[in-house]
Amino acid sequence: MRVDGKPYRTIWVEDDGWSVGIIDQTLLPHDFVTCRLLSMEDAARAIADMLVRGAPLIGATAAYGVCLAMREDASDENLAYAYDTLFATRPTAVNLSWALDDMRKHLSDVPVGDRVATAYKRAAEICNEDVAISESIGRHGLDLVQALAAHKPAGEPVNILTHCNAGWLATVDWGTATAPIYMAHEAGIPVHVWVDETRPRNQGASLTAWELGQHGIPHTLITDNAGGHLMQHGLVDMCIVGTDRTTAQGDVCNKIGTYLKALAAQDNGVPFYVALPSTTIDWQAGNGVADIPIEQRSGEEVSHISGADEHGARKVIRISPSDTPIRNDAFDVTPARLVTGLITERGLVDANRTALAAAFPDLSDS
Amino acid sequence: MRVDGKPYRTIWVEDDGWSVGIIDQTLLPHDFVTCRLLSMEDAARAIADMLVRGAPLIGATAAYGVCLAMREDASDENLAYAYDTLFATRPTAVNLSWALDDMRKHLSDVPVGDRVATAYKRAAEICNEDVAISESIGRHGLDLVQALAAHKPAGEPVNILTHCNAGWLATVDWGTATAPIYMAHEAGIPVHVWVDETRPRNQGASLTAWELGQHGIPHTLITDNAGGHLMQHGLVDMCIVGTDRTTAQGDVCNKIGTYLKALAAQDNGVPFYVALPSTTIDWQAGNGVADIPIEQRSGEEVSHISGADEHGARKVIRISPSDTPIRNDAFDVTPARLVTGLITERGLVDANRTALAAAFPDLSDS
């Protein structure tokens, strides 16, 4: 997608042919800064400190982390060490283990001397496959947007609510939840996006609002509290969110607060869609509420907020009393019964075990 | 309730016998500062700029605003001018018009020369009546907390989720939603409060967390997104929220986001109570979603956040891109079907037209 009119991906190999470029997403929306990963540790830090985030981009970054590790030392021991180090950065993201397993599978049987070249080739393939997946999700989601647009008075936009950032910044390009939106915009269908700010890390306010604005998509920022009210008043035509992990029965683990929007969508007859690459499906998990461990993050993410002061300088402020106890669950689980459909790279799939297994017989255990 | 161990109300007449003391709640939780209202315009500004907030405290402040107006000029013209000026400060708060109507009724037939004394006497009565109402709400809510505590293992707290600040800071003392909590605590029943931070103005993070902490009530601050997840995992025993306006059929207009918590409570079998003085019932309104105009506030409340920097100095930062469009609805409506019960000064009342009319035959139109 475009930044200041120039096309970008979220991760790329630099002109030197080996170092890895990323956007430091912690500086958005105030500063657009790219940086270079020079080592596996750089890649691990970029994931852990959320310079990169979003399930697909985390996977792609881990893949390039393995490349950088092989460049330093292509031994089996270092491959295992890189796997463990990168895996430990974000326990909830199933794409992380998928990408690391994939890299290990492609490298294990390759002579040590060929591993660097093989790793870079495979990491590039992972990125291109991710773009192809996002494009497929976008095309299938576009059908849904088009169907809603057909019932709107001419020129009136389809109003789409999204939570967190499942945008192109969360993938290699296009995004997952945003891919149908970008494709509808390119197809000339008027769309307008309600952007949940997404506390505590404000990925909606800082990332989704920024990327939609850069690409020229009409949008309005709202608090996480507002979506239900907008739905009660007929101002939301559909919800599209991403997911960090989807279970075999169609339960959706996504950024905390997603469940509340799904409840409001059901209460108001608003279709609630989840866009996902099949790599985020955890075929071993069934009941998401019971089976998925939820990452607990620092209370400082709630008590302290980062932003720009009136001079544009980055400042951190505290909003709660200094001694207030805080709990900060990063994700919640939306039960499949609240999900209208899963927009996958193979089309729209009902959120249940039978439909998922039928759509992905090659991946599911059944 | 206590601040640094010393009992306070939220509004009082100073030792000079006429100026009115309040807590500047915009400076909480970082600084505890009281200030004096010296004119009707001071009172109007204190309401409009939210130095005082919460339906009952807004009513009490408006009453003292009329006192200050009478002190300057006790004519009919100035009474009407004070009424209009104070009424225009916060259109949604039904207590505001209730208190102003009450003051006008008590003053209209009084000779101009007696109006100052009458006004101060009536404003003090309004404050004392509000404290008595909060105490009644607290006693009735205490029964509900006690019933839940009886089913808990000994020593385990009753977990109560609240949204925004319907605490003693929102009333003259005790609060509405918090009154049962303070009374349970005084009665030796272990309670623990989940405090929604309540974006965009963070009244939960800055006010509820502060007042519970000052009084020694165990509590944990969470994002507005988290409550549904906590309910899914059995960590919430009941919700108690306040209301700015309740309709004759029991629909509840409260801080934006309340509706989402009520949906989650219903989905998880958690009782959802609304604590209210009967003065917040709007007997003319039926269907809250259709009938209640929702205050639209500045987008800056969403894009800009105020807090303390590392030196304790107050700073305002921007979290979204500077050109992002924003919508900021201040309230939403929770339909009566999602409300387990209304905790009023006359006891627990079902959230429907028949039960409300039966509990308040003297107030309702029926």
Side-chain angles (χ1 to χ4, degrees), chain A residues 218-242:
Chain A
H219 63 285
T220 303
L221 178 65
I222 53 174
T223 63
D224 302 311
N225 283 324
H229 168 69
L230 297 177
M231 292 185 213
Q232 283 179 317
H233 288 269
L235 297 171
V236 181
D237 295 306
M238 68 192 304
C239 302
I240 312 180
V241 300

Side-chain angles (χ1 to χ4, degrees), chain B residues 18-336:
Chain B
W18 68 272
S19 71
V20 178
I22 59 164
I23 300 164
D24 181 352
Q25 300 193 20
T26 65
L27 300 180
L28 293 176
H30 310 294
D31 299 295
F32 176 71
V33 173
T34 63
C35 55
R36 290 185 177 203
L37 310 178
L38 305 177
S39 66
M40 184 275 288
E41 286 76 10
D42 282 355
R45 243 189 324 268
I47 298 169
D49 295 347
M50 298 175 84
L51 277 68
V52 294
R53 10 76 50 213
L57 178 55
I58 287 172
T61 308
Y64 276 114
V66 173
C67 297
L68 294 166
M70 292 301 91
R71 216 175 153 269
E72 290 155 18
D73 170 3
S75 68
D76 286 352
E77 292 70 26
N78 200 42
L79 178 57
Y81 175 70
Y83 186 104
D84 293 344
T85 305
L86 290 161
F87 183 76
T89 51
R90 293 291 302 279
T92 310
V94 74
N95 274 55
L96 182 59
S97 62
W98 175 87
L100 289 168
D101 286 344
D102 183 274
M103 290 297 286
R104 187 165 58 184
K105 192 179 71 190
H106 278 79
L107 293 174
S108 299
D109 298 336
V110 168
V112 167
D114 295 343
R115 281 181 177 174
V116 172
T118 304
Y120 275 95
K121 179 163 170 291
R122 183 60 198 146
E125 285 168 2
I126 286 176
C127 289
N128 289 335
E129 285 166 13
D130 185 64
V131 174
I133 285 171
S134 286
E135 287 171 344
S136 283
I137 290 170
R139 277 192 298 273
H140 295 299
L142 173 60
D143 295 343
L144 301 170
V145 180
Q146 256 166 338
L148 286 166
H151 291 88
K152 286 253 163 188
E156 267 199 26
V158 176
N159 288 296
I160 303 169
L161 183 142
T162 193
H163 189 70
C164 198
N165 178 262
W168 75 267
L169 289 170
T171 63
V172 178
D173 210 348
W174 291 99
T176 53
T178 56
I181 295 166
Y182 287 119
M183 290 217 172
H185 182 72
E186 315 264 294
I189 300 170
V191 289
H192 167 263
V193 184
W194 296 110
V195 180
D196 276 2
E197 64 174 341
T198 318
R199 288 281 292 148
R201 293 181 66 92
N202 299 323
Q203 292 96 333
S206 58
L207 302 178
T208 306
W210 181 84
E211 68 163 85
L212 294 174
Q214 287 289 330
H215 203 80
I217 310 280
H219 64 284
T220 303
L221 178 64
I222 53 174
T223 62
D224 301 311
N225 284 322
H229 168 68
L230 296 177
M231 292 186 213
Q232 284 179 316
H233 289 268
L235 297 171
V236 182
D237 296 306
M238 69 193 304
C239 303
I240 312 181
V241 300
T243 169
D244 282 67
R245 188 188 293 212
T246 308
T247 73
Q249 72 182 35
D251 292 346
V252 171
C253 181
N254 190 44
K255 190 59 52 187
I256 189 87
T258 302
Y259 167 53
L260 295 172
K261 291 305 135 57
L263 286 168
Q266 187 194 49
D267 200 46
N268 293 283
V270 173
F272 188 90
Y273 294 104
V274 180
L276 66 143
S278 58
T279 45
T280 60
I281 301 172
D282 180 349
W283 298 99
Q284 268 68 55
N287 177 330
V289 174
D291 292 355
I292 300 180
I294 299 296
E295 183 180 353
Q296 297 262 340
R297 295 184 60 87
S298 163
E300 277 209 8
E301 291 189 351
V302 179
S303 60
H304 289 69
I305 300 179
S306 162
D309 71 9
E310 70 272 33
H311 310 296
R314 295 175 56 76
K315 285 276 184 308
V316 174
I317 58 171
R318 177 171 49 80
I319 60 165
S320 52
S322 53
D323 54 354
T324 296
I326 296 168
R327 178 174 166 134
N328 181 19
D329 299 80
F331 302 92
D332 66 17
V333 172
T334 300

Side-chain angles (χ1 to χ4, degrees), chain A residues 61-83:
Chain A
T61 308
Y64 275 114
V66 173
C67 297
L68 294 166
M70 292 300 91
R71 216 176 153 267
E72 289 155 17
D73 170 2
S75 68
D76 287 352
E77 292 71 26
N78 200 42
L79 179 56
Y81 175 70
Y83 185 105

